[in-house]
Amino acid sequence: MKRSLFHILGCAVLALGFSAAAPVWAQVPIVYDGSDPTMLQNVPTLGNDVLAPSGSNTGKSNSLAGNSVTLETGGTVAGIRGAMNSLDADEVSGNHVIIESGVANLLVGVQMMSASIAGGEHYALSSASYGVSSRSNVVSIRGGEVVVNSVITPIVGGLAANYGTGSAAALGNLVGIEGGVIQDNNITATSIIGGSAYVRGDGEDVEASGNAVWISGGEFRSVNEIVGGRAWSNAVAPGTATASNNTVIIDGTPIFTGALPMIYGAVTIPAGGTMVDNILHVSTIGLSVRGLENFQLMDFMLPTALANGDTMITTGAAGADLTGVTISVDIDNPLAPPTIVAGNRYTLISNVSGTFAPVSGTLGGLSYTISIVTSGGSSSLVLDFRMLLAQLLLSLRRLRTQRRTRQ
């Protein structure tokens, strides 16, 4: 059964403003086109030339919710924040960073648990004793160029990082990319993460759930990884790390070049945290990635242009371990379905491993089977179509009738 993307993304979709109710963005929009450099600030954890709401240079934006911060043609910045708070327990929520055009020239490296571009950031210093939360924040990249010249440069929908005593939660955040270029000059320094949470304190809980990365276009040059949600705990005395119900959606015609990215549904650090119901939702053809990992559900939506023999995802050396993964297929656009006939075979993922029991069902009036097929030393997850038994019996009856008529 085809699941609605609104169902899959939950509050992250609502954060984009897809609602008939009052607009999500309650604050005065901030738009930077380079004409007034005084709009840029020196922001704690990031440095100079940062585009952010007023007050961010103090460590806490004057508004923590409902901000809209846009980079347009002519603007060049070193980082972007929809809102940030590093002073107290007030949550950062419902903010939107938009890159329409212009250049985000990311010169300064940040810690892996921070971000160069974030829809919202809630950050607690080592002296703090409260929890931090970043919820329903969004980064939308529609055009322009993000140039990475630093060692570590995450782009995160919502970030919660706690260096003190207390928990951290990144919930329902989203990175949506439909255009533009992400150019990684350091080769694999860039991470694109729906929601990221970090705790340093012993035994503190950390959660990154309900987050998403939605890619429908754009060019990605040597991007290192794409992650639905990441929960990072203290390695020596970890608390509970949970990264569940995160989603990576890839549709349209994105272009991955150079060093290919790894795609993760979720990541927990250290390994072994709780990862449940993380979803890969794909409706594109000919996508090449380094590998797929930590997905419990994979939805393949067959696009209109899909032809017999096509491959939807080609994985590199990292491959895709399908042990414990639930696979489903459906038609992406019922009004313009692909041409499917009995005998057609499609490769859903090349270079797979693990234990996977074949799945059968019906689609478009035909029976199908999803299974792992090995050929030439390489295994692939394939989708085979055949006639339904009733159709086959009907065809046999017709054939017999034709033979009797000829006799």
Side-chain angles (χ1 to χ4, degrees):
M1 178 179 179
K2 183 175 181 177
R3 277 176 285 184
S4 162
L5 292 183
F6 283 80
H7 171 75
I8 292 172
L9 294 180
C11 58
V13 168
L14 295 179
L16 271 174
F18 291 118
S19 172
V24 173
W25 317 121
Q27 307 302 322
V28 176
I30 298 168
V31 180
Y32 181 68
D33 61 6
S35 60
D36 183 8
T38 63
M39 293 177 65
L40 304 182
Q41 302 176 57
N42 183 336
V43 172
T45 76
L46 198 52
N48 293 314
D49 298 326
V50 176
L51 179 62
S54 60
S56 298
N57 59 317
T58 68
K60 183 178 181 180
S61 304
N62 291 342
S63 171
L64 298 180
N67 298 311
S68 176
V69 179
T70 301
L71 177 66
E72 288 192 344
T73 300
T76 298
V77 300
I80 310 177
R81 289 287 185 274
M84 71 166 298
N85 182 10
S86 63
L87 299 184
D88 58 37
D90 293 344
E91 183 179 72
V92 177
S93 64
N95 301 289
H96 197 180
V97 165
I98 305 166
I99 300 178
E100 291 281 6
S101 52
V103 177
N105 192 18
L106 309 180
L107 297 172
V108 180
V110 297
Q111 295 176 318
M112 194 62 187
M113 60 288 294
S114 185
S116 294
I117 298 174
E121 177 187 26
H122 196 182
Y123 182 100
L125 301 173
S126 59
S127 58
S129 57
Y130 50 80
V132 295
S133 176
S134 184
R135 186 189 303 267
S136 301
N137 300 289
V138 179
V139 172
S140 299
I141 301 177
R142 301 170 180 170
E145 189 172 9
V146 177
V147 181
V148 177
N149 292 301
S150 56
V151 178
I152 300 175
T153 311
I155 299 168
V156 183
L159 171 67
N162 199 329
Y163 284 81
T165 302
S167 62
L171 306 172
N173 302 286
L174 171 66
V175 175
I177 302 174
E178 56 186 285
V181 174
I182 300 176
Q183 171 71 51
D184 190 338
N185 291 332
N186 255 343
I187 309 300
T188 69
T190 305
S191 300
I192 299 169
I193 308 171
S196 179
Y198 169 79
V199 291
R200 175 175 284 180
D202 291 350
E204 300 291 352
D205 294 339
V206 60
E207 181 176 7
S209 295
N211 305 289
V213 176
W214 190 340
I215 295 173
S216 60
E219 184 174 352
F220 303 77
R221 301 172 182 171
S222 297
V223 168
N224 180 45
E225 60 183 2
I226 297 167
V227 184
R230 182 183 65 190
W232 192 329
S233 183
N234 183 317
V236 178
T240 300
T242 303
S244 296
N245 296 294
N246 299 291
T247 305
V248 175
I249 301 169
I250 304 178
D251 60 13
T253 56
I255 300 171
F256 295 160
T257 62
L260 297 175
M262 191 75 188
I263 314 292
Y264 298 95
V267 172
T268 61
I269 303 173
T274 300
M275 292 186 290
V276 179
D277 291 340
N278 296 293
I279 304 170
L280 175 66
H281 188 96
V282 177
S283 58
T284 190
I285 306 168
L287 183 71
S288 293
V289 300
R290 193 161 79 249
L292 306 171
E293 191 171 330
N294 295 344
F295 290 101
Q296 290 75 52
L297 305 168
M298 293 185 181
D299 293 335
F300 290 87
M301 311 306 296
L302 310 184
T304 302
L306 188 69
N308 184 33
D310 278 349
T311 297
M312 294 188 72
I313 302 178
T314 298
T315 62
D321 187 344
L322 299 181
T323 302
V325 179
T326 298
I327 305 289
S328 67
V329 296
D330 208 333
I331 302 299
D332 183 50
N333 181 1
L335 299 178
T339 301
I340 300 174
V341 298
N344 277 14
R345 168 174 285 187
Y346 309 98
T347 298
L348 302 179
I349 312 173
S350 70
N351 190 25
V352 300
S353 61
T355 302
F356 178 79
V359 175
S360 297
T362 60
L363 186 64
L366 295 172
S367 177
Y368 70 77
T369 300
I370 303 171
S371 62
I372 292 179
V373 173
T374 301
S375 177
S378 178
S379 297
S380 297
L381 183 69
V382 302
L383 170 64
D384 288 304
F385 282 93
R386 62 186 184 279
M387 284 187 181
L388 293 170
L389 180 59
Q391 293 173 319
L392 182 59
L393 292 174
L394 180 60
S395 296
L396 289 173
R397 290 193 191 103
R398 288 174 177 170
L399 181 59
R400 288 172 183 169
T401 300
Q402 290 173 356
R403 287 178 176 174
R404 288 170 184 167
T405 301
R406 290 171 185 168
Q407 292 175 351

